[in-house]
Amino acid sequence: MVNAIIFGAPGSGKGTYASRLQSPLEVDVIATGDIFREIMKEENPLGTKVKSYVEKGLLVPDNVVIEVIKQRLAKIPKGKGFILDGYPRTIEQAKNLSKIVKIDLVIQLIVPDWIIIERLSTRRICKNCGAVYNTRYLKPKVEGICDKCGGPLYQRSDDTPEVIKNRIDVYERQTQPILRFYKEAGVPIIDFKTESPEMPPEVAVEKILNGLKKLQLF
Ligand SMILES: [Zn+2]
């Protein structure tokens, strides 16, 4: 059983890897974006509270965020661990988290900027069903048309090289102190480096699992 946090810049493949690690590691993947969307649909005090911030466009305060995480962690079946994606984003949050659960491992995805820029600037999304394509690595059968639903594909307005570079910088500034926090706390960190934009996800996942084996966590 392993409790892990995964860190990676936007476009690092974080979501893909986390979901593929789910079954070999027997963990729940907890993506904060998803749990916030879920909880806002719930008719309970916590859901209503979260909604009141989000609807006003305000940042949900740390003490509320940790409650949401706590509630989700409590739903993990006995004997199962988790991979947390999207949390913690500050040292304060990391400290709060360490008060409620033990973290065994941090997975850091290291992807060179040029690969992220190439991946995201060639990304196309279906307007209708949200399916994700790539004009180089994952082409639709017909250009500009979704294979699954026939909807039109578009490029997100913030998927441009300059904006992507800025998002990577923000991510780095935010994440480096948190990684230092875990290092100082003695939590093992697996660094996984992507060297080519064509690397198949199964190869990446295999390498991450090998890292866990070395630490005797898998
Ligand atoms: Zn579609």
Side-chain angles (χ1 to χ4, degrees):
M1 197 181 110
V2 60
N3 295 340
I5 307 172
I6 192 164
F7 289 104
S12 62
K14 206 163 40 121
T16 311
Y17 299 153
S19 72
R20 283 173 183 255
L21 287 164
Q22 195 159 3
S23 109
L25 292 180
E26 290 179 72
V27 291
D28 272 8
V29 172
I30 302 176
T32 45
D34 295 341
I35 53 175
F36 274 97
R37 266 190 298 277
E38 286 303 311
I39 198 148
M40 284 195 287
K41 287 183 212 150
E42 286 171 19
E43 298 282 331
N44 61 38
L46 193 55
T48 314
K49 204 186 252 175
V50 170
K51 221 167 140 180
S52 72
Y53 289 103
V54 173
E55 279 175 349
K56 286 182 209 132
L58 298 171
L59 212 63
V60 183
D62 273 0
N63 63 322
V64 178
V65 178
I66 195 73
E67 275 313 307
V68 175
I69 306 269
K70 217 165 161 178
Q71 204 178 76
R72 178 60 186 86
L73 290 174
K75 287 183 188 158
I76 299 174
K78 229 181 146 66
K80 251 185 154 188
F82 60 81
I83 297 178
L84 201 49
D85 169 2
Y87 189 89
R89 287 184 193 271
T90 62
I91 292 194
E92 210 45 49
Q93 291 184 344
K95 284 180 184 163
N96 285 338
L97 183 65
S98 65
K99 284 178 200 148
I100 58 168
V101 72
K102 187 178 169 286
I103 300 299
D104 306 308
L105 173 74
V106 166
I107 302 168
Q108 182 188 200
L109 305 177
I110 301 169
V111 187
D113 290 3
W114 72 269
I115 294 184
I116 294 182
I117 290 168
E118 182 159 304
R119 257 189 205 157
L120 293 185
S121 59
T122 51
R123 180 165 75 165
R124 299 291 182 273
I125 304 163
C126 173
K127 215 160 212 161
N128 189 32
C129 74
V132 177
Y133 296 87
N134 186 292
T135 56
R136 294 186 63 172
Y137 312 111
L138 188 64
K139 288 183 191 168
K141 289 190 186 85
V142 182
E143 202 191 311
I145 303 289
C146 177
D147 289 349
K148 289 172 189 150
C149 76
L153 304 184
Y154 76 104
Q155 178 172 25
R156 260 174 58 165
S157 60
D158 56 352
D159 279 350
T160 61
E162 307 78 64
V163 182
I164 295 164
K165 182 75 183 73
N166 185 47
R167 273 150 68 197
I168 298 171
D169 291 344
V170 168
Y171 164 80
E172 289 294 336
R173 273 204 301 277
Q174 205 175 46
T175 313
Q176 288 314 319
I178 306 171
L179 290 167
R180 272 200 298 279
F181 168 83
Y182 282 113
K183 209 170 177 182
E184 280 159 17
V187 176
I189 301 178
I190 293 182
D191 288 332
F192 171 69
K193 199 167 175 203
T194 300
E195 268 130 12
S196 138
E198 289 99 348
M199 177 180 267
E202 32 315 345
V203 177
V205 165
E206 200 53 48
K207 289 193 176 182
I208 295 170
L209 289 175
N210 279 336
L212 268 106
K213 273 182 198 149
K214 278 188 200 142
L215 294 165
Q216 292 175 319
L217 287 169
F218 174 62

